[in-house]
Amino acid sequence: MLEFAILGLLQQSPMHGYELRKQLAEVLGGLRSISYGSLYPALKRLHAAGLVCTDEPDRRAPLPADAPPLTGRRGKVVYTITAEGKERFAELVSQAGPEAYDDGRLFGVHLAFFRHTAADVRLRILEGRRRTVERQRDGLRSSLARTRERLDRYTLELQRHGLDSVDREVRWLSELIDSERRDPGRQTGEGPEPPSGTD
Amino acid sequence: MLEFAILGLLQQSPMHGYELRKQLAEVLGGLRSISYGSLYPALKRLHAAGLVCTDEPDRRAPLPADAPPLTGRRGKVVYTITAEGKERFAELVSQAGPEAYDDGRLFGVHLAFFRHTAADVRLRILEGRRRTVERQRDGLRSSLARTRERLDRYTLELQRHGLDSVDREVRWLSELIDSERRDPGRQTGEGPEPPSGTD
DNA sequence: TCCCGATGTATCGTCCCGATACATCGACCG
DNA sequence: CGGTCGATGTATCGGGACGATACATCGGGA
């Protein structure tokens, strides 16, 4: 998930971890920002996989355990996406497996990079997500109907509010889907499928 | 968090892990259910801490690494809360530190056990949560105002929807708080503070 | 009878998080 | 001129939660 988001951001321009985190928070909807404990390991994984590279020479690897803990100049590290990284990102964008629908955050990241996504894949993702949320809504609704008498006021309120939220999300997704259907080619931008290519 | 929820459920009646998971999903708002990878380690921690006990004799500990992987009868295990567990739960309920407000799930669990919670603590928790969500809302709102022109339609929609959600949550909390203020002693039930005790 | 799905317990590797430590830089102030 | 304070910036650690998976039991239908 995080890797996907990082690749998407680095595709736009090279960045520091710090900056990356801020952009990430912005893209993710502002409410939940990513922690450094997630970000740096993710960057390390991406670097190890050759999907990003750094301008930092090699001050990273050596450092034996007995050295005083990193009291050498620790400069900024700018991360840049590689050609493999771009390939991988395009792959992730176009595949959009069903796991993208269950996790709201992964869906959010996908949505944030929709301008890199082909119109048919966009529709697939939106509908998949709607299906997931609809299932949640139905489960919640029947659970609420089943347990209406057994539960106290607070639990009931919590479930009512939750049901209202998912219900609104379904409607929101439906609006997005409708608008997508009305005007499929809206702003694909730089997707891997130019509109002239009819496969 | 999970420990808190488990103790709260076991307080009502002893249960299997499987059953516990279903109840948990119900209490948590139905949308996100807990996985066994969380549940069983949590039960193990609680058992190690002496907060719950099992009816299972001791088929658990031995089993050296070279034995064929657990081909002995593995029966159901009923977990029961201990006296220490009840104490701990009452402690967690009444303390309700500020960390309860940041995490929506922890807040949800607290809310689900509000009938075990004293009225003043209830109010404190609700207001703390509202403050957290208000901050989220304000941050999101200003971020949206700042970036309105730079972002594409999809990201904007995502943020608009997110803002709408937190806004609704604030209003929902405000209604709960108002109703709580109007009628503080509503249904404390079995809280550790009987209404006659004026401290 | 035999298999299949629901029930049920348990672990593994992985991801993510909060807390923390450490380092650099500019600004403001004495 | 120097000091410190907050923003910027990199990095790790322990722990919690998750998905996937394995294993076991039991009832019912082909």
Side-chain angles (χ1 to χ4, degrees), chain B residues 120-172:
Chain B
D120 58 331
V121 179
R122 286 207 292 247
L123 211 47
R124 180 149 47 95
I125 290 176
L126 288 171
E127 285 170 343
R129 176 64 183 168
R130 181 169 63 172
R131 234 180 116 52
T132 295
V133 183
E134 275 173 346
R135 262 195 288 264
Q136 279 186 1
R137 181 197 57 188
D138 296 343
L140 195 45
R141 193 171 278 166
S142 66
S143 151
L144 192 51
R146 255 197 338 271
T147 61
R148 182 173 291 281
E149 269 107 47
R150 299 209 324 271
L151 300 179
D152 63 297
R153 174 168 169 264
Y154 299 106
T155 311
L156 240 33
E157 267 302 316
L158 182 62
Q159 297 210 13
R160 210 193 48 66
H161 177 67
L163 180 54
D164 187 58
S165 286
V166 293
D167 211 40
R168 295 199 145 253
E169 183 168 356
V170 168
R171 265 175 292 169
W172 175 68

Side-chain angles (χ1 to χ4, degrees), chain A residues 16 38 49-50 71 76 80 89 113 150 154 163-164 166 197 199:
Chain A
H16 300 175
S38 316
T71 317
K76 303 183 181 183
T80 309
F89 179 72
F113 296 114
R150 298 209 325 272
Y154 299 105
L163 180 54
D164 188 58
V166 292
D199 197 20

Side-chain angles (χ1 to χ4, degrees), chain A residues 24-38:
Chain A
L24 232 28
E26 198 165 90
V27 147
L28 265 280
L31 345 89
R32 59 184 311 102
S33 81
I34 238 62
S35 84
Y36 294 126
S38 316

